[in-house]
Amino acid sequence: MSNYNNHNQRSFFFNVDWVMVFLYLALCTIGWFNIHAAVYDEKHPSIIDISTVYGKQFIYIMVGIVVGMIILLLESRFLAALAPAFYAITTLLLLVVLVIGKNVGGNQAWINMGGGFRLQPSEFAKFSTCLLLARYLSSVNVKVTELKSFAIVAAIILVPMLLIKLQPDDGSTLVFFSLIFVLYREGLSPYFLVTIATTIILFITSQLYNEYYIAGIIIAITTLIAYLNKRNRQTIFKALVAGIVCIGFVLVAKPIYNHGLKQHQRARIDVVLGITSDTRGVGYNQNQSKIAIGSGRLWGKGYLKGTQTKYAFVPEQSTDFIFCTVGEEWGFAGSVVVLGLYLFLLLRIIFIAERQRAPFTRIYGYGVASIIFFHVIINIAMAIGVMPVIGIPLPLISYGGSSLISFTILIFVLIKLDSNRMGII
């Protein structure tokens, strides 16, 4: 029996993807040091001073490591079996936060835990949604291309989205749209992705140019497609329907934009699109962030030497705009290192997902990759001014206990499931 246990322990050790563990620790460490730089207080110079933000982040990292180790000791089947329970708990917490939640920055998204610590249920809802989605899609006779299965999948994703929207936390709401990549991997038609991309392009261009000019271009493209396929009536019909739908959307896009979005949301989008310039108002954060990143040049100003950072020109610099600290103090070179680590992490997650025998782990892996990808792209795009500010953290780097612990759970559950990859869940 002793030899059997020793064999299992050795197998567990070698099956754990230590590359993923290393990437996790590297990003957490980078985040910790950059949070220290972003809100450095000369009266509290120690990076582990728990009376400071960076000291609290150290505690969150330690808690995250403990949580990760506990997950690795769990039984893989236990995680899959309790997916509905995890989903039910986070859904309940999303309902509770609407009643007793603390309002911070206009969002009622936090539950006070005492001692200055707060819980943000929306962060953990990402994990539970990924887990339940994997559980359902890996079930026998479930095909995302069938209407019934697609409706259930949509319900799984939409329930937390709608509850988070009520907070209202637009950034966290939009994160759930990234799960479309999971559905695409599991057989959803690529036309869904094309439709989404086309809708975004038409929406943006309709704000920049006269809608009748855009409609004219669509008519010209539709006519050209019809002419090139004049012997294929089915293709001509599809082109005409698509053209009519696109023109209809363009004609209503501006009214939807003007009346469907709040004034501050329109203002942020207008600044990004270059329709207006407001460097002292709604565009202040992004303008200061771009100045900070640009001032870092190639090698950066050095640790704790960033002037934009030191004099607190950028609001929310330890959370939403943490990347500008990386850019200012570590320069282009440091930014490339951070982006390289994220790219390596995403590629590793996809590699892990594709080597699975169990559909459950593969689907869950793609969910993790989709959420991390969305967070990284949108957060950095906000920092460099090519996306409107919607307030989502940079995974494992931004300050915040709920964010760090939720990403820890997302990643370590995948590591645990992968360690049992020769089994079938």
Side-chain angles (χ1 to χ4, degrees):
M1 181 64 72
S2 177
N3 290 335
Y4 176 78
N5 288 334
N6 289 336
H7 173 73
N8 279 348
Q9 290 173 358
R10 287 196 298 271
S11 297
F12 169 78
F13 180 85
F14 286 114
N15 283 341
V16 168
D17 195 295
W18 295 106
V19 174
M20 283 281 288
V21 176
F22 168 77
L23 290 170
Y24 166 83
L25 293 174
L27 288 167
C28 285
T29 304
I30 289 171
W32 181 31
F33 277 91
N34 278 282
I35 291 167
H36 182 235
V39 293
Y40 179 71
D41 184 352
E42 292 180 354
K43 296 178 181 178
H44 302 276
S46 174
I47 196 170
I48 58 173
D49 186 338
I50 61 172
S51 66
T52 64
V53 167
Y54 35 90
K56 289 181 180 178
Q57 188 72 3
F58 172 71
I59 294 174
Y60 297 146
I61 292 171
M62 292 301 101
V63 172
I65 291 172
V66 171
V67 169
M69 294 302 102
I70 291 172
I71 290 171
L72 293 182
L73 295 174
L74 295 176
E75 173 62 45
S76 297
R77 295 180 186 274
F78 167 82
L79 294 168
L82 287 184
F86 289 137
Y87 186 84
I89 291 169
T90 54
T91 302
L92 179 62
L93 288 173
L94 289 174
L95 288 169
V96 169
V97 80
L98 294 175
V99 180
I100 65 169
K102 181 178 177 61
N103 193 303
V104 179
N107 295 338
Q108 190 167 320
W110 286 266
I111 298 174
N112 272 330
M113 304 298 290
F117 296 96
R118 299 193 300 255
L119 178 72
Q120 188 176 5
S122 59
E123 291 294 332
F124 298 94
K126 299 167 191 175
F127 157 70
S128 63
T129 303
C130 278
L131 203 65
L132 186 60
L133 197 62
R135 165 75 181 264
Y136 177 71
L137 286 175
S138 61
S139 302
V140 179
N141 297 326
V142 170
K143 294 182 180 179
V144 74
T145 52
E146 295 178 354
L147 182 59
K148 180 183 176 181
S149 298
F150 183 79
I152 294 174
V153 164
I156 292 171
I157 298 172
L158 286 173
V159 167
M161 278 184 68
L162 293 174
L163 292 174
I164 293 169
K165 176 62 179 173
L166 292 175
Q167 294 177 1
D169 184 351
D170 295 329
S172 294
T173 301
L174 291 174
V175 170
F176 287 83
F177 279 114
S178 67
L179 295 176
I180 189 72
F181 293 112
V182 180
L183 306 186
Y184 173 69
R185 171 61 182 83
E186 294 307 308
L188 191 67
S189 171
Y191 286 116
F192 275 85
L193 295 179
V194 173
T195 301
I196 292 171
T198 302
T199 301
I200 293 171
I201 293 169
L202 289 176
F203 183 80
I204 293 173
T205 54
S206 67
Q207 309 311 316
L208 296 172
Y209 306 103
N210 185 289
E211 56 267 38
Y212 296 107
Y213 292 156
I214 300 172
I217 293 172
I218 293 172
I219 291 171
I221 293 173
T222 303
T223 303
L224 180 62
I225 293 173
Y227 175 76
L228 293 175
N229 296 274
K230 54 189 175 183
R231 295 183 179 179
N232 190 330
R233 293 183 178 181
Q234 188 176 8
T235 302
I236 294 173
F237 177 75
K238 289 180 180 178
L240 289 173
V241 171
I244 292 169
V245 170
C246 287
I247 291 172
F249 177 77
V250 167
L251 294 177
V252 301
K254 236 166 210 179
I256 291 174
Y257 178 72
N258 292 329
H259 302 290
L261 297 179
K262 296 177 181 178
Q263 194 278 329
H264 73 275
Q265 294 172 327
R266 295 197 305 272
R268 290 174 180 175
I269 296 173
D270 287 347
V271 167
V272 171
L273 294 179
I275 297 173
T276 60
S277 178
D278 187 9
T279 57
R280 294 183 180 274
V282 71
Y284 176 80
N285 291 15
Q286 284 187 316
N287 185 58
Q288 294 299 321
S289 176
K290 288 189 287 184
I291 291 172
I293 293 170
S295 67
R297 299 195 177 186
L298 180 59
W299 300 110
K301 296 176 180 177
Y303 186 53
L304 298 179
K305 295 180 180 179
T307 52
Q308 290 289 111
T309 296
K310 187 175 182 180
Y311 297 109
F313 283 108
V314 186
E316 310 296 337
Q317 194 164 344
S318 64
T319 52
D320 297 346
F321 287 93
I322 190 67
F323 187 73
C324 74
T325 304
V326 177
E328 183 177 26
E329 299 203 345
W330 304 105
F332 178 77
S335 300
V336 168
V337 169
V338 171
L339 289 172
L341 285 172
Y342 277 124
L343 178 60
F344 193 10
L345 176 66
L346 289 168
L347 291 175
R348 190 69 185 178
I349 290 172
I350 293 172
F351 169 76
I352 287 173
E354 289 295 342
R355 73 180 178 186
Q356 302 303 313
R357 294 174 61 189
F360 173 84
T361 307
R362 181 188 69 242
I363 297 165
Y364 177 78
Y366 269 91
V368 175
S370 299
I371 288 173
I372 293 177
F373 174 77
F374 187 91
H375 269 267
V376 172
I377 292 297
I378 299 301
N379 182 277
I380 294 177
M382 288 192 311
I384 62 178
V386 297
M387 281 287 291
V389 178
I390 58 173
I392 62 173
L394 193 58
L396 306 177
I397 290 184
S398 289
Y399 170 74
S402 291
S403 172
L404 190 139
I405 301 301
S406 67
F407 278 112
T408 298
I409 294 172
L410 271 170
I411 290 169
F412 274 85
V413 165
L414 177 62
I415 294 172
K416 175 57 186 177
L417 293 172
D418 176 63
S419 71
N420 190 46
R421 59 184 170 272
M422 297 312 293
I424 298 176
I425 297 179

